[in-house]
Amino acid sequence: MEKEKEAKKERPARVVFIEILGRGVTAVKTPQGLRAALKGEQIDAESVQKYLKQKFGEELDEARAAMEKLAKAYTPRQLAVEAYGLYEKFRPEIPEGMKGWGAKGELDLDAIHTLAK
């Protein structure tokens, strides 16, 4: 583990910006491919998994499967063009008086399944 930390310090990651749903996302190039980044450092996949598990609870696997099915229903080019419109159709309704990405809402998995058909 110490060698990994030293190697990380020796060669800085190459930061790139990619567009997802019309938003710029910071990423770094790694031997495994592009990975999301924060302040030039690769985001730890375990912390992301923990966050998702906390937010989705027992429905995480079902939500992931529904979204993967939806993504596979489109070609990559179609998905690049239509992704945000699809998101607008299934994104959770936010209760009145709440706003922002952190506002809690109910994700309708049936709506995602319907869009995948």
Side-chain angles (χ1 to χ4, degrees):
M1 185 124 154
E2 276 301 310
K3 288 183 180 181
E4 288 177 20
K5 287 182 182 177
E6 288 177 29
K8 197 175 193 181
K9 287 180 183 177
E10 288 175 18
R11 62 185 149 83
R14 182 163 172 237
V15 177
V16 296
F17 292 90
I18 56 176
E19 186 179 320
I20 299 176
L21 298 177
R23 300 177 73 117
V25 176
T26 307
V28 291
K29 290 189 176 186
T30 73
Q32 297 78 30
L34 284 176
R35 297 293 183 258
L38 184 62
K39 297 181 182 176
E41 295 290 325
Q42 178 179 338
I43 295 174
D44 178 51
E46 287 180 28
S47 68
V48 173
Q49 184 66 22
K50 183 179 175 182
Y51 173 82
L52 291 172
K53 186 75 171 166
Q54 179 185 15
K55 295 298 179 185
F56 285 88
E58 294 177 10
E59 293 184 350
L60 177 59
D61 290 339
E62 188 178 351
R64 176 177 280 133
M67 289 185 193
E68 286 176 357
K69 182 179 176 184
L70 177 58
K72 289 177 183 176
Y74 292 82
T75 67
R77 180 169 280 159
Q78 288 173 316
L79 194 57
V81 171
E82 298 183 39
Y84 194 79
L86 291 167
Y87 167 70
E88 288 180 314
K89 291 176 182 173
F90 72 75
R91 70 180 170 198
E93 290 293 323
I94 304 300
E96 193 166 326
M98 302 290 291
K99 59 182 171 179
W101 284 93
K104 190 172 183 175
E106 283 293 316
L107 180 63
D108 184 356
L109 295 180
D110 289 335
I112 297 172
H113 288 294
T114 299
L115 291 168
K117 294 180 182 174

